[in-house]
Each structure stands twice: as C-alpha cells, then as structure tokens.
C-alpha cells in the first residue's frame, strides 16, 4: 500500500511517500517559499476523487500532484497568506483558505488550480473558522468576530446568514 505523510522536516514544508505500507519513506518534497522565513509545513492535503490528482498547502503556496503524490509542483504562490485548509468538491473545484485573525482569505479554483479567484467574505467578521462546500457553488462558511460566530449559506450568487 502507498502512503503519504506530510508536515515539516526541520520547519520546512515536506511530503514523504511510502510504497511499502509505511515500512520506509522517501522525502519527495522539501521546499519553502522564502528561505529566510520559517512559517509552517504542509498543513493540509486532499485527493478529491481518491485518484491521481491531489492538492496540498503550506503557508504561502498551493501545490498539486497528478501522479498520486509521487511529485508535487506549486500552482499558486501567495506570500503571507498563511493558508490553513483545503476543501475540494472534485478534481476541478477546489477551495483554499486561511483562518488568521483579521487576515482570513478564501480562494476558489474551478479549473483544477490553473486560476484562482478570491471569494468575497461577509463584512463585519474577523476571521474564518471553517468552510465546507458540497458542490462548486453550494456551501457553508463559519466566521467569527471577537464576540460571536456567524454561519453563512452560499448557493451560486446568493448568500444568506443562517445565524
């Protein structure tokens, strides 16, 4: 069985690959965007269709594989984004977001990571808690202020605050 482990190796984003069920691993990705800034390792990874295409993020980059994780390349470099999580509906519709206080960001790709657009966030919130999409245009966004949380439902161009 093939296994992938991710995180950091010496505070540098790293991905390891095992083709023997975890008895041994090979370091297949070890790179940081800014050699003078140690920020995070690989913090999230998804294989939306459990196939050959996968995505991973570190603080400043979105990575993609098309060969089951044997090799990775940066498909978006976005300095100081502090990406936290990925949410993928399928191989083409992927969301990347950061949960930083006053610096939350939500990006969306509809073409497998070739291009990314910023999703406008509701005003009056300090940061994203969580994002969950069940289709390319239908999902939930949980945001917080200093005093309370808010849940939004998004369907196409319609956005409603649920509570």
């Amino acid at each position: 069985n093939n296994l992938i482990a991710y995180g950091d190796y010496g505070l540098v984003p790293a991905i390891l690959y095992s083709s023997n069920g975890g008895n041994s691993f090979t370091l297949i990705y070890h790179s940081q965007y800014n050699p003078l800034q140690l920020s995070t390792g690989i913090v999230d990874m998804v294989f939306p269709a459990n196939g050959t295409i996968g995505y991973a993020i570190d603080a400043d980059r979105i990575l993609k594989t098309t060969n089951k994780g044997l090799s990775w390349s940066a498909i978006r470099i976005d300095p100081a984004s502090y990406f936290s999580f990925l949410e993928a509906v399928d191989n083409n519709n992927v969301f990347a977001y950061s949960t930083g206080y006053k610096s939350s960001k939500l990006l969306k790709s509809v073409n497998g990571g070739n291009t990314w657009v910023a999703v406008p966030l509701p005003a009056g919130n300090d940061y994203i808690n969580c994002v969950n999409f069940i289709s390319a245009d239908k999902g939930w966004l949980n945001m917080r202020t200093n005093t309370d949380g808010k849940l939004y439902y998004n369907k196409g161009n319609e956005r409603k605050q649920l509570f």
Side-chain angles (χ1 to χ4, degrees):
N1 289 343
N2 298 334
L3 298 173
I4 297 174
Y6 63 88
D8 70 88
Y9 185 68
L11 297 176
V12 176
I15 300 173
L16 295 97
Y17 190 87
S18 174
S19 58
N20 59 13
N23 289 322
S24 62
F25 283 88
T26 302
L27 183 63
I28 57 170
Y29 185 85
H30 188 243
S31 170
Q32 61 192 40
Y33 170 67
N34 181 350
L36 301 176
Q37 177 185 351
L38 299 174
S39 52
T40 68
I42 301 295
V43 294
D44 201 7
M45 181 181 292
V46 294
F47 284 82
N50 292 325
T52 59
I53 295 175
Y55 299 89
I57 54 170
D58 66 16
D60 303 306
R61 294 173 295 190
I62 303 170
L63 311 173
K64 183 176 183 178
T65 182
T66 57
N67 59 8
K68 298 183 179 183
L70 287 171
S71 62
W72 295 84
S73 58
I75 56 173
R76 180 170 175 108
I77 298 173
D78 209 343
S81 288
Y82 301 102
F83 289 120
S84 310
F85 298 101
L86 288 165
E87 178 74 19
V89 175
D90 53 39
N91 286 337
N92 290 312
N93 295 284
V94 182
F95 298 84
Y97 66 99
S98 61
T99 58
Y101 180 73
K102 301 266 186 191
S103 63
S104 286
K105 175 187 284 191
L106 175 59
L107 299 179
K108 177 183 179 180
S109 177
V110 297
N111 55 16
N114 291 325
T115 58
W116 295 84
V117 296
V119 176
L121 298 174
N125 295 288
D126 291 327
Y127 59 93
I128 295 173
N129 271 338
C130 188
V131 173
N132 185 270
F133 277 83
I134 60 171
S135 71
D137 65 349
K138 189 175 184 181
W140 292 264
L141 170 66
N142 179 244
M143 296 195 74
R144 285 206 55 83
T145 66
N146 277 334
T147 56
D148 65 346
K150 296 177 184 171
L151 181 64
Y152 297 91
Y153 172 71
N154 187 77
K155 183 177 180 186
N157 292 327
E158 175 189 355
R159 179 176 290 155
K160 293 181 187 178
Q161 182 177 340
L162 299 176
F163 64 88

